[in-house]
Amino acid sequence: MKKIICFGDSNTFGITPQGGRFNANERWPTLLETLLNQTTTSKQFHVIEQGQPNRTLVHNPPFHGDKSGLRYFKNCLLDHQPDLALIMLGTNDLKRKFCLDASEIASGLNALIIASLALQPALKVLIICPPPILEVGSYAQIYLGGAVKSLALESAYQAVAKELNCAFFAASSVVNSCPIEGIHWSAKQHTQLAQALVKVVIELCQHKF
């Protein structure tokens, strides 16, 4: 059985634009596992959800404990020993208080992956660039200036993927952030991401890297 870990923030955890949490069968990691196992005659894929609201690549948000991806991901690898890691982070790093640009956020991603591969050299990594955000609603001031920066993440993440020989997928090809709230996704977006990732994940698990 192939073990796949989905490591991300609130959009991997399944926070809704209304502030609740989607049911397991609505969240993209769970949907991905279901769809992957529908391609086989027996259950050959186990997807592990590791989404955490406010998780970052670079800094720990004040008052939110240890939310740094780098610090937590090592424990995830030791606990689960996955064959493949799907990493989708960077949205929280766009918050105005962090004053980070796309290249600095990408450097945090680079450090996360290098540390992970040092711990588990055979790990395959799929970098998923989160879709651009919108500066609207209650998050507008929190993410002031972040919308433009989010547009630059894709090319910065592609460069990291090329440098570290990781696979890359742009979530923006199938997902749009909520037009009213600006950060999180509808259930339909979760479904579309899961559907789009099936072929990518199967190819990676078959060593077509």
Side-chain angles (χ1 to χ4, degrees), residues 50-198:
Q50 284 291 335
Q52 171 64 61
N54 294 305
R55 179 172 284 151
T56 59
L57 282 165
V58 182
H59 297 304
N60 288 328
F63 313 116
H64 284 292
D66 189 357
K67 298 292 179 70
S68 165
L70 180 58
R71 296 182 186 181
Y72 191 80
F73 194 44
K74 292 180 181 179
N75 291 331
C76 288
L77 293 180
L78 290 171
D79 288 344
H80 299 291
Q81 296 291 307
D83 301 287
L84 171 65
L86 278 56
I87 301 173
M88 184 172 64
L89 286 168
T91 298
N92 287 300
D93 298 270
L94 294 166
K95 291 175 179 176
R96 179 177 59 171
K97 65 184 176 183
F98 294 133
C99 299
L100 297 171
D101 61 26
S103 64
E104 291 170 320
I105 296 170
S107 292
L109 176 65
N110 186 291
L112 173 68
I113 295 171
I114 287 175
S116 302
L117 294 175
L119 190 66
Q120 191 175 330
L123 179 70
K124 293 183 179 180
V125 176
L126 171 61
I127 296 171
I128 303 175
C129 182
I133 66 169
L134 303 171
E135 293 174 38
V136 295
S138 60
Y139 287 105
Q141 289 300 311
I142 295 172
Y143 283 92
L144 188 65
V148 171
K149 294 177 183 179
S150 70
L151 294 171
L153 285 180
E154 185 172 328
S155 60
Y157 281 22
Q158 281 181 314
V160 173
K162 183 177 180 181
E163 178 183 347
L164 300 181
N165 193 32
C166 298
F168 176 82
F169 183 85
S172 62
S173 63
V174 292
V175 170
N176 294 306
S177 299
C178 174
I180 298 172
E181 181 250 27
I183 304 298
H184 299 105
W185 314 340
S186 68
K188 180 180 178 181
Q189 309 300 304
H190 278 258
T191 298
Q192 290 175 176
L193 180 60
Q195 291 172 337
L197 289 174
V198 171

Side-chain angles (χ1 to χ4, degrees), residues 10-21:
S10 56
N11 278 320
T12 299
F13 183 78
I15 295 294
T16 72
Q18 294 75 35
R21 189 187 188 193

